């Protein structure tokens, strides 16, 4: 029998507001432990939460960008549980009246577009971090992250594979970055996902027992955890077992998950309306204003790249996968007359170099205009393609503009005919057989000789002129 | 007459005329505390040095004309669940027996700014849970009228201190009667303002949707003066109202002619001691003699107010008190086995019996499977009770009745019967459920010479009508001048 997976994701994204959700402490990442906190966010007796309206606006924007309905009446609730990193003994979240609901995003699967429905988006506060002493045996708590605003985006179980889950996450990340409400830095924990998975015989509309894996904090973990859990569940069922509804812990190093908590041990969070915060009335004018403020979203941008720049769907997809990348492309394309080349350079060498050097777009040491000039240098025949690659590398090394690099290193193409003829004469002298081979009809000798001549000129020879001179010489 | 016997308004005038100095007054009050408090147990902390420093500073500012509030130089005490920067704020609990807040409550800031001088922090039932001040971890407070009896609670220290002259006025907090009932037991004026009139920032939460800070004073005039100083919006408390509050002294008018005074049938039934019923009916007569009209009304939902109150209050309390886990502040258990043991033992050792009982009940009513039957139903009942009171106010301008079915009882008499104690909150809790303002003023003595309180309930944000009615009563009777004989 064939099985299919039914997957739902709960994604937590930290909002990039300047201050925390219920106090004026900074949300800045890092800082010495317990330097970004105050009596309110550490839950000192007598303190009260004062809602930061910006977090509501950011969350509404996220809702609008994912086609959600914004609730005109919403409230906050307390989720009660004990944990040392939770200063008040409860987390302020939203229970039955989330701020945004019933939305969707579109993802690309192998051969089609697929709509992943969003059940709800709600606002809540982050918890602190437990630290374990290195020198002593003590546990410490850092409250810098407590009260950092989060949105939780809950999908419907519309996802059928690890690959789709990854596409969905990538799409959410792109959207949240485009609308500037979250920086979605997974390595800083500002984007994390809980995954719900069940499997069922293909075509069945009955849902199987599901398991949950919490706090997966990289695309890779999400992908691997889902793959592993689907395989595990199918294996259990095929060997006649039953899936237990449980929470499992994913061990990224071992690539395995372990049961953590069964349904019976599930915590009773005793949700009830937060009495310290009045219900929120979301006025239509606010929603309309935020709608107007929304920038072009990734899907719209992608379509524009196809129609306006004539880029292939795939290229447009890659270029709009992150806001920084897309903005870099956009800036470059705007100034260039050769958009196709811009796209090729960014998709090819630029992404390769970033990857090799483990850099982000923001780390690029030169402005988009330098790439425009590099392409111009090629188009004007000042340098050839292979030199351009070296120049590009040097741009990453030094941050200098390509004109200067070319000048400094004398990388202009050699176009001087008599000089190039001399080079060719020397190459032929060094390879006496080549002339005979050519005369015997072996035309591929040309390629070999051009290569040798290029080598002799350190790649700087104008390939066209070189070719012409060589053929003329061989024919003589 | 000695300085501690004066009212705020009298002292304020003596101070501004330079007939007495603030230092002299403060010194006198500290002496009074020294003399009396070992017996009465009103204070948990006395801040002698700070009080004298503050008195000197305030006197200088007064002399320079910088401070001119009616509260300038007036010595007062604050209930120990209202945060005071640098001063122990214990909530009457072992759990917070070492908690010194690094901030002032909004009301404390306001009182400091007006130049009032803090004498110390007043005793209370642990976490404001109780109506006799017997559940304090630190000490029992005794009723100045009969030291064998309780002062009421939970603001027992606040009421006893004002009546005994250990403070000119005080602040208390009222979640289900905690200002009005001790005011009634001790014979002073106690106001529970409309929910939202006064910022709760810095008031250690018991039940967030019911808690409200309010003044305890000798007279209605003093009450209006303190209310003026502490009312108003605070951006740190989103449940505090944005409306501009009036000058409450403008409501000090001796006139009830044509006013409709509602007397609910349910407020004077047999559950109320006869002495108290008589005193209430006498008050009705005072008002009608002055030209007011008494309207008999009915609040049929009264039998539901106590269960509704306790479900909501304890549900919120169970969550509000979750933060006391020993991790960040307050008491912590020693040598724990692990984090669970640490948390469990901290809470088992740090909280007293009544607090634990209430946390357990509150946790229960919020639990999955019970939420709908208790908490959700209580919210519905709350809406109905609120509606009933709004409807009652269509027939009258103010509602009067007793504060408590009994006068002050003996220490230890009821401590082992929590249900009985809860039931006696029947006349005070509906006010908190509906978010209304209500005041207790002295209206007589019972056969044991113990004070009886008259409760006046107003419409939301209509403290003025309460003040006007209470002031008229005071101007036409002598009950507010009755003082216990303290033999000192
Ligand atoms: Zn803070």
């Amino acid at each position: 029998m064939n099985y299919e997976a039914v997957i739902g994701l709960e994604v937590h994204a930290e909002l990039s507001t300047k201050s925390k959700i219920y106090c004026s402490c900074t949300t800045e990442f890092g800082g010495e432990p317990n330097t970004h906190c105050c009596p309110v966010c550490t839950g000192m007796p007598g303190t009260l939460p004062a809602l930061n309206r910006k977090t509501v606006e950011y969350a509404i924007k996220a809702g609008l960008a994912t086609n959600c309905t914004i609730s005109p009446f919403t409230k906050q609730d307390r989720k009660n549980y004990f944990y040392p990193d939770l200063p008040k003994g409860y987390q302020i979240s939203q229970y039955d009246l989330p701020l945004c609901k019933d939305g969707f995003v579109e993802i690309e699967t192998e051969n089609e577009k697929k709509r992943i429905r969003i059940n709800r988006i709600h606002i809540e506060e982050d918890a602190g971090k437990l630290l374990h002493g290195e020198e002593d045996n003590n546990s410490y708590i850092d409250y810098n992250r407590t009260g950092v605003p989060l949105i939780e985006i809950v999908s419907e179980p519309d996802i059928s594979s690890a690959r789709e889950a990854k596409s969905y996450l990538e799409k959410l990340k792109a959207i949240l970055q485009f609308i500037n409400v979250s920086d979605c830095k997974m390595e800083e924990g500002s984007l994390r996902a809980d995954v719900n998975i069940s499997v069922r015989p293909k075509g069945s509309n009955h849902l199987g027992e599901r398991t949950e894996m919490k706090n997966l904090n990289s695309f890779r973990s999400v992908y691997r955890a889902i793959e592993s859990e689907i395989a595990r569940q199918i294996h259990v069922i095929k060997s006649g077992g039953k899936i237990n509804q449980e929470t499992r812990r994913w061990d990224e190093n071992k690539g395995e998950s372990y049961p953590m908590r069964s349904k019976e041990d599930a915590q009773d969070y005793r949700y009830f309306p937060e009495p310290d915060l009045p219900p929120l009335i979301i006025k239509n004018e606010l929603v309309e204003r935020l709608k107007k403020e929304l920038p072009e979203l990734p899907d719209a941008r992608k379509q524009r790249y196809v129609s306006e720049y004539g880029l292939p769907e795939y290229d447009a997809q890659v270029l709009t996968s992150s806001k920084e990348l897309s903005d870099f492309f956009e800036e470059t394309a705007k100034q260039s007359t050769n958009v196709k080349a811009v796209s090729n350079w960014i998709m090819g060498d630029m992404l390769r170099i970033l990857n090799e050097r483990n850099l982000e777009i923001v780390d690029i040491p030169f402005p988009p205009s330098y790439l425009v000039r590099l392409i111009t240098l090629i188009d004007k025949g000042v340098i050839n393609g292979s030199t351009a690659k070296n120049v590009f590398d040097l741009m990453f090394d030094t941050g200098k503009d390509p004109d200067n690099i070319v000048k400094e290193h004398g990388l202009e193409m050699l176009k001087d005919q008599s000089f190039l003829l001399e080079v060719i004469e020397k190459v032929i002298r060094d390879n006496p057989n080549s002339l005979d081979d050519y005369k015997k009809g072996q035309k591929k000798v040309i390629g070999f000789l051009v290569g040798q001549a290029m080598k002799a000129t350190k790649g700087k020879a104008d390939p066209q002129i070189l070719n012409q001179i060589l053929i003329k010489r061989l024919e003589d | 007459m000695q300085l501690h016997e004066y009212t705020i308004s009298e002292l304020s005038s003596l101070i501004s005329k330079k007939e007495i100095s603030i230092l002299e007054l403060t010194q006198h009050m500290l002496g009074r505390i020294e003399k009396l408090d070992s017996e009465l147990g009103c204070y948990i902390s006395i801040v002698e040095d700070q009080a004298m420093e503050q008195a000197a500073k305030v006197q200088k500012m007064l002399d320079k004309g910088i401070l001119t509030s009616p509260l300038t130089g007036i010595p007062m005490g604050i209930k120990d669940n209202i945060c005071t920067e640098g001063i122990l704020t214990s909530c009457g609990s072992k759990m917070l027996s070492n908690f010194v807040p690094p901030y002032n409550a909004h009301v404390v800031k306001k009182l400091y700014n007006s130049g009032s001088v803090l004498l110390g922090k007043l005793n209370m039932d642990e976490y404001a849970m109780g109506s006799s001040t017997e559940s304090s971890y630190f000490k029992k407070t005794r009723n100045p009228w009969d030291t064998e009896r309780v002062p009421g609670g939970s603001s027992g220290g606040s009421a006893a201190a004002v009546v005994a002259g250990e403070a000119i006025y005080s602040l208390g907090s009222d979640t289900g009667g905690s200002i009005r009932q001790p005011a009634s037991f001790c014979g002073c004026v106690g106001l529970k303002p409309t929910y939202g009139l006064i910022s709760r920032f810095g008031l250690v939460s018991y039940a967030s949707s019911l808690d409200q800070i309010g003044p305890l004073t000798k007279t209605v005039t003093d009450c209006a003066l303190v209310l003026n100083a502490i009312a108003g919006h605070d951006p740190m408390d989103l449940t505090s109202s944005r409306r501009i509050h009036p000058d409450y002294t403008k409501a000090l008018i001796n006139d009830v002619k044509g006013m409709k005074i509602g007397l609910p049938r349910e407020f004077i039934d047999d559950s109320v001691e006869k002495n108290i019923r008589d005193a209430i009916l006498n008050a009705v007569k005072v008002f009608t003699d002055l030209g007011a009209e008494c309207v008999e009304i009915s609040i049929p939902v009264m039998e539901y107010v106590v269960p509704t109150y306790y479900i909501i209050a304890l549900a919120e309390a169970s969550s509000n008190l979750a933060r006391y886990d020993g991790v960040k502040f307050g008491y912590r258990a020693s040598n724990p086995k692990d984090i669970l043991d640490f948390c469990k033992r901290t809470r088992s050792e740090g909280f007293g019996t009544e607090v634990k009982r209430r946390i357990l009940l509150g946790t229960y009513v919020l639990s999955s499977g019970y939420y709908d039957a208790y908490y959700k139903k209580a919210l519905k009942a709350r809406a109905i009770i609120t509606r009933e009171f709004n409807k009652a106010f269509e027939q009258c301008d103010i509602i009067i009745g007793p504060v408590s079915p009994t006068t002050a009882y003996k220490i230890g008499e009821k401590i082992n019967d929590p249900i009985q104690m809860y039931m006696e909150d029947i006349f005070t809790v509906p006010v908190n459920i509906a978010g209304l303002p209500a005041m207790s003023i002295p209206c007589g003595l019972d056969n044991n010479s113990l004070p009886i309180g008259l409760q006046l309930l107003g419409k939301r944000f209509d403290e003025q009508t309460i003040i006007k009615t209470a002031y008229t009563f005071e101007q036409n009777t002598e009950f507010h001048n009755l003082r216990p004989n303290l033999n000192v």
Side-chain angles (χ1 to χ4, degrees):
Chain A
M1 200 191 294
N2 276 330
Y3 287 87
E4 64 179 4
V6 179
I7 303 164
L9 254 58
E10 291 167 21
V11 176
H12 289 89
E14 274 183 1
L15 296 177
S16 48
T17 52
K18 286 207 167 53
S19 52
K20 291 187 178 180
I21 183 165
Y22 300 119
C23 63
S24 52
C25 291
T26 177
T27 56
E28 210 177 293
F29 184 77
E32 283 296 299
N34 298 315
T35 53
H36 298 171
C37 52
C38 71
V40 174
C41 57
T42 51
M44 299 271 263
T47 60
L48 296 170
L51 180 65
N52 173 356
R53 298 290 302 197
K54 270 272 174 279
T55 63
V56 177
E57 295 190 5
Y58 277 36
I60 293 175
K61 277 188 176 177
L64 291 171
T66 51
N67 308 293
C68 286
T69 306
I70 310 303
S71 310
F73 180 90
T74 176
K75 66 177 170 71
Q76 292 158 90
D77 300 276
R78 288 189 186 174
K79 179 180 181 179
N80 295 284
Y81 65 96
F82 282 103
Y83 203 68
D85 69 2
L86 190 69
K88 299 188 291 294
Y90 57 83
Q91 177 194 33
I92 306 179
S93 179
Q94 294 194 283
Y95 184 53
D96 54 344
L97 294 173
L99 184 56
C100 318
K101 55 189 181 191
D102 302 329
F104 66 86
V105 296
E106 269 178 351
I107 60 164
E108 321 279 330
T109 64
E110 274 103 301
N111 35 29
E112 51 168 4
K113 279 194 169 69
K114 183 172 176 181
R115 189 173 272 203
I116 308 296
R117 289 171 301 154
I118 287 170
N119 174 290
R120 61 186 280 164
I121 300 178
H122 69 247
I123 49 172
E124 59 184 30
E125 54 178 344
D126 207 349
K129 212 171 111 187
L130 278 181
L131 307 166
H132 298 284
E134 280 154 23
E135 286 116 55
D136 54 22
N137 214 3
N138 294 340
S139 291
Y140 297 89
I141 306 164
D142 177 6
Y143 288 113
N144 283 354
R145 300 315 289 161
T146 52
V148 168
L150 297 176
I151 47 174
E152 181 174 333
I153 305 167
V154 182
S155 84
E156 295 288 354
D158 291 348
I159 298 163
S160 331
S161 67
R163 188 186 289 229
E164 283 184 20
K166 192 164 166 262
S167 306
Y168 168 73
L169 265 182
E170 282 168 349
K171 181 48 85 55
L172 277 187
K173 181 179 169 185
I175 290 172
L176 296 178
Q177 286 181 333
F178 267 68
I179 61 174
N180 226 346
V181 303
S182 173
D183 53 21
C184 296
K185 285 186 183 149
M186 287 190 114
E187 67 281 7
E188 292 179 4
S190 64
L191 191 74
R192 1 185 239 266
D194 301 345
V195 187
N196 288 294
I197 304 172
S198 66
V199 298
R200 64 184 176 194
K202 208 165 186 135
S204 158
N205 47 24
H206 171 80
L207 282 172
E209 278 300 334
R210 68 194 170 111
T211 62
E212 183 178 27
M213 277 179 288
K214 283 186 179 293
N215 272 326
L216 301 169
N217 57 6
S218 72
F219 288 144
R220 182 182 140 90
S221 297
V222 170
Y223 188 89
R224 292 177 69 214
I226 292 176
E227 290 266 271
S228 146
E229 181 59 11
I230 293 173
R232 188 192 69 86
Q233 290 193 11
I234 293 174
H235 178 76
V236 169
I237 293 170
K238 278 192 170 162
S239 23
K242 261 180 63 186
I243 303 299
N244 296 320
Q245 191 178 331
E246 63 190 1
T247 303
R248 300 179 66 83
R249 192 173 63 80
W250 171 250
D251 186 325
E252 178 66 29
N253 294 328
K254 293 195 177 139
E256 285 176 279
S257 67
Y258 305 96
M260 213 169 87
R261 214 171 34 224
S262 76
K263 187 191 170 191
E264 289 71 41
D265 307 329
Q267 293 215 34
D268 179 359
Y269 290 122
R270 290 175 282 117
Y271 279 100
F272 75 105
E274 167 56 270
D276 287 329
L277 294 165
L280 280 171
I281 312 290
I282 309 295
K283 294 212 175 92
N284 199 37
E285 296 91 87
L286 174 68
V287 177
E288 289 305 318
R289 170 168 75 74
L290 295 173
K291 224 180 244 173
K292 281 194 199 109
E293 281 177 24
L294 278 188
E296 189 181 32
L297 294 173
D299 283 348
R301 222 179 239 205
K302 182 184 140 194
Q303 281 319 308
R304 186 162 59 77
Y305 289 0
V306 173
S307 57
E308 194 174 306
Y309 297 137
L311 297 184
E313 280 263 340
Y314 176 77
D315 295 15
Q317 170 72 29
V318 173
L319 289 172
T320 52
S321 64
S322 96
K323 182 171 169 12
E324 284 93 5
L325 180 62
S326 180
D327 285 350
F328 192 92
F329 167 73
E330 195 105 330
E331 230 4 79
T332 320
K334 228 187 273 170
Q335 301 171 30
S336 175
T337 49
N338 190 351
V339 176
K340 182 68 201 156
V342 171
S343 161
N344 285 343
W345 272 98
I346 290 178
M347 301 254 309
D349 288 83
M350 193 174 104
L351 290 183
R352 176 185 53 81
I353 293 171
L354 290 177
N355 199 21
E356 281 167 7
R357 303 189 181 197
N358 206 6
L359 296 177
E360 302 285 332
I361 304 282
V362 290
D363 306 325
I364 296 176
F366 54 84
S369 61
Y370 285 17
L371 176 56
V372 175
R373 283 157 75 174
L374 179 69
I375 292 169
T376 310
L377 289 174
I378 305 165
D379 290 349
K380 285 198 174 151
V382 178
I383 55 174
N384 63 35
S386 64
T387 305
K389 282 182 193 288
N390 296 333
V391 173
F392 201 42
D393 261 321
L394 286 167
M395 284 161 64
F396 272 93
D397 289 341
T398 62
K400 286 184 183 162
D401 72 276
D403 301 270
N404 269 325
I405 294 174
V406 167
K407 227 170 265 164
E408 222 173 86
H409 294 77
L411 296 174
E412 294 95 342
M413 274 198 281
L414 299 171
K415 298 175 190 253
D416 185 282
Q417 306 228 355
S418 54
F419 175 75
L420 289 177
L421 187 59
E422 255 174 57
V423 172
I424 284 166
E425 292 296 352
K426 182 168 187 306
V427 169
I428 291 174
R429 267 201 307 280
D430 292 348
N431 299 280
N433 296 334
S434 57
L435 207 55
D436 294 342
D437 291 348
Y438 182 79
K439 289 198 170 136
K440 282 177 201 152
Q442 288 194 25
K443 302 286 184 204
K444 63 178 179 193
V445 170
I446 296 174
F448 170 73
L449 291 172
V450 166
Q452 291 301 307
M454 272 294 183
K455 214 172 167 184
T457 59
K458 290 181 181 142
K460 291 188 293 184
D462 184 317
Q464 257 177 326
I465 300 174
L466 193 67
N467 250 329
Q468 281 168 10
I469 298 174
L470 177 65
I471 290 170
K472 205 166 153 233
R473 171 69 183 78
L474 292 171
E475 293 294 331
D476 278 351
Chain B
M1 210 156 97
Q2 288 188 278
L3 287 177
H4 61 264
E5 294 175 87
Y6 287 101
T7 62
I8 296 175
S9 40
E10 289 160 348
L11 288 171
S12 184
S13 135
L14 292 175
I15 289 169
S16 63
K17 286 187 210 142
K18 304 225 183 299
E19 286 176 30
I20 55 164
S21 78
I22 296 168
L23 270 168
E24 177 190 351
L25 174 58
T26 305
Q27 187 83 67
H28 174 83
M29 295 305 293
L30 289 168
R32 178 85 183 160
I33 294 170
E34 165 103 48
K35 233 181 278 169
L36 282 183
D37 210 54
S38 54
E39 184 179 4
L40 290 181
C42 298
Y43 284 90
I44 290 176
S45 327
I46 299 153
V47 291
E48 216 169 325
D49 293 345
Q50 176 183 314
M52 291 309 287
E53 273 169 39
Q54 211 191 342
K57 205 178 88 191
V58 169
Q59 182 70 60
K60 260 187 216 148
M61 290 172 83
L62 179 81
D63 294 344
K64 285 186 192 156
I66 301 169
L67 269 174
T68 52
S69 156
L71 297 187
T72 301
I74 307 297
M76 49 89 187
I78 289 178
K79 190 177 181 180
D80 214 21
N81 61 350
I82 299 174
C83 288
T84 40
E85 187 179 340
I87 300 168
L88 175 70
T89 299
S90 73
C91 278
S93 181
K94 180 179 180 184
M95 187 63 94
L96 288 180
S97 53
N98 60 0
F99 177 62
V100 177
Y103 44 88
N104 280 319
H106 186 74
V107 290
V108 172
K109 254 187 248 168
K110 286 197 146 191
L111 290 184
Y112 281 164
N113 289 342
S114 72
S116 219
V117 176
L118 178 70
L119 297 170
K121 302 295 294 289
L122 295 159
N123 198 19
M124 58 183 283
D125 278 299
E126 185 180 5
Y127 282 97
M129 296 175 177
S131 31
S132 64
T133 314
E134 288 169 288
S135 70
S136 167
Y137 168 68
F138 297 92
K139 54 174 78 168
K140 293 199 180 7
T141 298
R142 293 171 184 275
N143 192 313
W145 291 83
D146 177 351
T147 52
E148 296 301 304
R149 292 178 189 265
V150 301
S154 64
S155 311
S158 300
V162 170
V163 171
E166 290 189 41
I168 301 302
Y169 75 94
S170 66
L171 291 188
S173 70
D174 190 316
T175 306
S178 282
I179 288 174
R180 290 160 288 155
Q181 187 256 21
S184 137
F185 276 21
C186 292
C188 65
V189 175
L191 173 71
K192 182 258 153 191
T194 306
Y195 186 78
L197 183 65
I198 292 164
S199 167
R200 293 184 294 116
F201 191 90
L203 168 66
V204 179
S205 294
Y206 161 15
S208 311
S209 74
L210 302 160
D211 295 342
Q212 195 64 186
I213 293 170
L216 292 101
T217 55
K218 290 193 189 91
T219 62
V220 177
T221 304
D222 283 4
C223 177
L225 290 171
V226 180
L227 190 60
N228 269 350
I230 60 175
H233 178 67
D234 172 12
M236 301 285 272
D237 175 5
L238 294 189
T239 64
S240 75
S241 165
R242 288 175 183 280
R243 66 169 66 206
I244 309 283
H245 71 83
D247 174 358
Y248 293 105
T249 60
K250 295 256 163 64
L252 296 165
I253 302 164
N254 181 2
D255 180 19
V256 289
K257 234 175 257 125
M259 256 181 79
K260 285 184 177 167
I261 294 175
L263 181 63
R265 215 172 289 137
E266 296 80 4
F267 278 38
I268 42 165
D269 65 13
D270 291 345
S271 70
V272 181
E273 282 175 2
K274 187 167 180 312
N275 285 170
I276 297 176
R277 263 186 289 153
D278 291 345
I280 303 302
L281 293 174
N282 176 59
V284 170
K285 190 170 176 303
V286 170
F287 288 125
T288 49
D289 285 352
L290 291 167
E293 184 192 342
C294 178
V295 191
E296 199 184 305
I297 58 171
S298 175
I299 315 258
V301 290
M302 282 303 285
E303 61 180 303
Y304 301 111
V305 300
V306 172
T308 301
Y309 168 79
Y310 274 95
I311 290 170
I312 292 170
L314 305 196
E316 290 179 10
S318 72
S319 173
N320 281 333
L321 271 64
R323 71 191 62 196
Y324 307 104
D325 55 8
V327 174
K328 305 157 295 278
F329 40 72
Y331 176 79
R332 48 165 58 186
S334 45
N335 305 317
K337 281 203 297 284
D338 52 33
I339 182 68
L340 192 65
D341 179 55
F342 173 70
C343 182
K344 272 186 179 171
R345 274 186 31 228
T346 294
R347 291 171 68 78
S348 301
E349 295 162 18
F351 288 137
T353 309
E354 184 58 27
V355 172
K356 276 185 250 186
R357 174 164 30 236
R358 295 192 186 200
I359 290 173
L360 286 172
L361 286 168
T363 305
Y364 179 78
V365 299
L366 286 177
S367 300
S368 112
Y370 299 96
Y371 182 92
D372 285 359
Y374 294 106
Y375 186 73
K376 207 170 162 192
K377 205 176 264 180
L379 288 187
K380 280 186 190 154
R382 181 177 201 170
I384 292 167
I385 293 163
T386 307
R387 207 165 56 221
E388 289 275 345
F389 273 91
N390 290 341
K391 240 166 52 193
F393 277 117
E394 287 170 11
Q395 304 167 59
C396 55
D397 303 307
I398 196 160
I399 294 173
I400 64 168
V403 176
S404 163
T406 73
T407 49
Y409 42 85
K410 291 257 168 66
I411 291 172
E413 189 182 327
K414 293 182 180 171
I415 194 78
N416 295 319
D417 190 355
I419 300 291
Q420 177 62 27
M421 285 245 253
Y422 296 174
M423 288 312 290
E424 289 182 0
D425 297 338
I426 184 159
F427 301 123
T428 47
V429 293
V431 164
N432 303 75
I433 293 174
L436 305 173
M439 187 188 275
S440 172
I441 55 170
C443 71
L445 297 178
D446 73 357
N447 291 341
N448 294 318
S449 289
L450 296 169
I452 298 170
L454 170 70
Q455 189 175 203
L456 303 109
L457 288 68
K459 297 174 192 168
R460 269 169 64 77
F461 294 106
D462 189 14
E463 276 75 5
Q464 288 136 291
T465 301
I466 295 178
I467 288 169
K468 183 178 149 191
T469 314
Y471 181 75
T472 304
F473 187 79
E474 212 178 62
Q475 292 300 303
N476 292 280
T477 57
E478 286 299 324
F479 302 115
H480 62 287
N481 289 327
L482 295 169
R483 288 283 170 268
N485 183 4
L486 281 161
N487 301 322
V488 277

